[in-house]
Amino acid sequence: MTGTPAPGAVSVLAHGIGAQHDLPLSPFYAFAGAFAALFVSFLALGLLWSASRFRGESAGRPLPAAIQRAADAPATRATARALGLAAALLVVLNLLVGPADADRNPAPGAVYVLLWVGLVPASLLLGPVWRLLNPLRTLHLIGCRALGRDPEAGRPVPARLGMWPAAAGLLAFTWLELVAPDPASPTALLVFLGVYAAVHLTGAARYGAHWFDHADAFEVYSGLLARLSPLGRAREVPSGPRRLVLRSPFNGLDATPQLPGLVATVCVMLGSTAYDGFSDSPRWITTVQTAALGRTATATLGLLGAVALVAALYGLCAGATRLVCGRLPHPLTAFAHSLVPIALGYLVAHYFTLFATEGPRTLALAFGADRPAPPEPPLGPGGVATLQVVAIVTGHVLGVVAAHDRSVRLLPSGRAVVGQLPMLILMIAYTVGGLALLIA
């Protein structure tokens, strides 16, 4: 976050990776390693991978029936819903009657660390967990049962909406986190959570519980990250039940629905994380503090500019691919799934240290500790630098693999490799930008 920090915890919450500009990172080795990884991956795929290998939702090895029954048991789902609702009520209660000092109130850390950052490892390990924990989905279910109404009943969600509400919700949340003058204040958080809840409960009342599937920002955020989870749901036949399976994360990624707003959602994830890193640079801090427009307006333009830049580069890449290869159905969404592992790499690079230190501190506050000190980071500066470079480069390599498989499926065989050159250039541009944020 780049908001004017109060002492203590707020200043820690304000920057996901701390003073990244002081990390012991060699620019030459970082960039050389990244370029080598991308080019070797691209060349190897072009020579050895001539047919699509990913099967989306039809892939996966079913887990034992006992595990399937336990995961789908009404008691399991009811317990998850109760935990999600109880946690949300505790956050709201702490915002209403808890200390205004973020050093003593666990609510800001619960929202910005346990929820926003914690959903990353939770979704990677367990799948789209926020669908079960989502307190708004639970409140809608309780309301429907009280009224004797089917929670799934409602008007069809307009197809053109797609993921656009989720993209808008993510942008609003990241604005609160990174731009708002006092993002950790109870008032700011209460206003955001109140408006967010009102919008989505109204949407669910009109369209039914399906509204949350692609409109709720945190469900979509968790669901996109869960595409890379080894746990997933597969259908043996198109109209059959969805079985719990172990799968290659690439198959989960390949099953990402190509909905309107998918590109915008992923670009918000990428652009906001990039802005978080850039906003810590001394030059940008000086610009924000001295701008004639004022701090908040300038920071807002910076956040929007970062998201727009990510989106513009991807749009140019999609247009170039279509120009090189001829007619391509849905060129913008066809390769958008390959941006998800890149976003994941940025999230890990920027927020690992924050989660490892502020997560335990937030839990200690929630259990009654007074001003607990955060634990020492699990990695030293060198370890953090290595993790960040590996996370960013790995995310881009996974993106190259996902894009290649989609290329050999959609593009003419003679143009599949050439058609990927714009995507490779895009991956290089994103990699350079990501690494530059770490070492600038």
Side-chain angles (χ1 to χ4, degrees):
M1 292 174 241
T2 60
T4 303
V10 181
S11 62
V12 177
L13 291 175
H15 302 288
I17 57 174
Q20 73 265 37
H21 307 286
D22 298 327
L23 294 177
L25 199 64
S26 166
F28 174 78
Y29 289 114
F31 286 113
F35 289 145
L38 289 173
F39 276 115
V40 168
S41 300
F42 178 77
L43 292 175
L45 291 169
L47 293 172
L48 304 175
W49 198 307
S50 59
S52 176
R53 303 183 183 185
F54 303 146
R55 296 184 291 119
E57 285 194 340
S58 64
R61 177 174 298 179
L63 290 173
I67 297 177
Q68 178 82 39
R69 287 194 299 270
D72 292 337
T76 302
R77 295 180 175 273
T79 300
R81 287 194 292 264
L83 288 173
L85 184 58
L89 292 175
L90 284 174
V91 168
V92 172
L93 184 63
N94 275 284
L95 291 174
L96 288 172
V97 301
D101 183 359
D103 275 344
R104 302 173 57 206
N105 194 326
V111 174
Y112 294 125
V113 180
L114 299 183
L115 172 60
W116 178 243
V117 184
L119 273 179
V120 177
S123 301
L124 287 176
L125 292 174
L126 303 174
V129 291
W130 193 246
R131 180 182 175 87
L132 289 177
L133 296 172
N134 189 348
L136 298 182
R137 192 181 278 271
T138 302
L139 288 175
H140 175 253
L141 177 62
I142 292 171
C144 288
R145 288 181 176 174
L147 297 172
R149 176 183 170 183
D150 180 1
E152 304 295 330
R155 301 181 182 184
V157 180
R160 66 181 180 276
L161 277 182
M163 293 182 178
W164 281 107
L170 283 176
L171 184 61
F173 178 78
T174 53
W175 181 91
L176 175 70
E177 180 196 17
L178 303 174
V179 175
D182 193 2
S185 75
T187 300
L189 281 167
L190 281 171
V191 169
F192 173 82
L193 295 176
V195 172
Y196 188 89
V199 168
H200 288 286
L201 290 176
T202 301
R206 182 178 179 87
Y207 297 109
H210 292 298
W211 167 262
F212 296 107
D213 295 343
H214 303 302
D216 184 282
F218 297 103
E219 277 205 18
V220 170
Y221 174 69
S222 174
L224 286 174
L225 294 172
R227 293 289 170 185
L228 290 164
S229 171
L231 288 177
R233 298 277 180 172
R235 298 183 191 273
E236 296 180 357
V237 294
S239 59
R242 296 178 54 133
R243 294 288 307 276
L244 191 63
V245 298
L246 285 176
R247 67 185 181 189
S248 163
F250 285 114
N251 284 310
L253 197 61
D254 189 62
T256 303
Q258 297 182 39
L259 298 174
L262 170 62
V263 174
T265 302
V266 180
C267 287
V268 169
M269 293 169 61
L270 275 169
S272 61
T273 308
Y275 176 77
D276 190 14
F278 175 71
S279 65
D280 192 35
S281 67
R283 180 176 299 179
W284 180 250
I285 292 173
T286 301
T287 299
V288 167
Q289 291 175 344
T290 60
L293 288 175
R295 180 215 161 282
T296 302
T298 304
T300 299
L301 291 176
L303 173 62
L304 294 176
V307 174
L309 177 61
V310 169
L313 290 174
Y314 177 75
L316 288 173
C317 168
T321 300
R322 188 169 187 174
L323 184 65
V324 170
C325 299
R327 185 171 180 82
L328 179 66
H330 311 295
L332 280 177
T333 56
F335 297 97
H337 69 301
S338 66
L339 300 183
V340 175
I342 299 174
L344 173 62
Y346 283 6
L347 288 167
V348 172
H350 280 266
Y351 296 121
F352 168 78
T353 301
L354 175 72
F355 185 68
T357 56
E358 284 301 303
R361 182 185 174 280
T362 298
L363 291 174
L365 279 172
F367 284 102
D370 185 32
R371 301 179 186 273
E376 289 295 320
L379 298 175
V384 171
T386 301
L387 173 68
Q388 290 174 333
V389 173
V390 169
I392 289 176
V393 174
T394 301
H396 285 81
V397 170
L398 296 179
V400 168
V401 174
H404 176 84
D405 189 85
R406 186 63 58 86
S407 293
V408 298
R409 181 188 307 169
L410 296 180
L411 303 180
S413 58
R415 299 183 181 180
V417 175
V418 174
Q420 292 176 71
L421 288 176
M423 185 62 70
L424 176 64
I425 294 171
L426 178 71
M427 299 293 180
I428 292 173
Y430 284 168
T431 304
V432 169
L435 294 178
L437 292 176
L438 299 179
I439 63 181

